[in-house]
Amino acid sequence: MNATPIQASDDPRLESARIIVNECFWGDYHLSPQDLLDRLDRKDAAFERFLFSKIMENSRYPSRHLRNLFPPEKLQSLLERYLAQAGNKKRIRLIAANLTGRFELAPEYRWRR
């Protein structure tokens, strides 16, 4: 019996890695989607922070990709650190609110009553 190769749509991590390489790195780095996943699997803290910042700043769907690539406890620690450094940027606060459910981080996006 032949094994069927895993398609990106079957593996959300690989799909996110492919999108991130194209959307967030703009050809500045020679990094394949598999390289990205391998570095994450090695738990390289500096790379995790670097990748997290690239996704936060450049991705069209940062919440989806961050959830696909980082376990919840790592995502929380990266987010706390990034929020402390990002100042009052609306985009960062909105992503944080979406990831954590702490919608008070982005009050300007609430529905008006």
Side-chain angles (χ1 to χ4, degrees):
M1 180 183 287
N2 291 344
T4 305
I6 295 176
Q7 300 297 314
S9 60
D10 296 338
D11 181 354
R13 288 183 78 221
L14 185 56
E15 179 181 7
S16 283
R18 285 183 179 160
I19 293 168
I20 294 305
V21 165
N22 290 325
E23 206 171 78
C24 299
F25 288 97
W26 307 327
D28 293 341
Y29 298 87
H30 298 288
L31 187 68
S32 74
Q34 192 58 55
D35 292 337
L36 186 149
L37 293 177
D38 291 345
R39 299 261 320 253
L40 282 177
D41 290 344
R42 287 196 303 263
K43 305 206 182 325
D44 177 343
F47 181 76
E48 289 172 342
R49 289 189 303 272
F50 169 72
L51 179 63
F52 184 87
S53 70
K54 285 293 206 180
I55 295 169
M56 289 291 281
E57 296 294 335
N58 300 317
S59 176
R60 287 184 287 170
Y61 302 103
S63 298
R64 176 185 352 149
H65 301 307
L66 290 169
R67 284 184 182 119
N68 285 345
L69 295 174
F70 294 100
E73 63 281 353
K74 175 53 79 173
L75 184 56
Q76 184 63 37
S77 69
L78 289 167
L79 187 58
E80 287 174 14
R81 179 184 177 118
Y82 204 78
L83 275 171
Q85 295 173 347
N88 199 27
K89 288 174 133 181
K90 281 185 188 180
R91 174 183 168 86
I92 305 308
R93 291 185 294 106
L94 180 60
I95 296 166
N98 187 37
L99 288 169
T100 65
R102 293 178 45 215
F103 300 110
E104 70 276 5
L105 290 170
E108 65 271 26
Y109 291 101
R110 288 187 192 164
W111 286 99
R112 308 238 187 256
R113 293 183 182 204

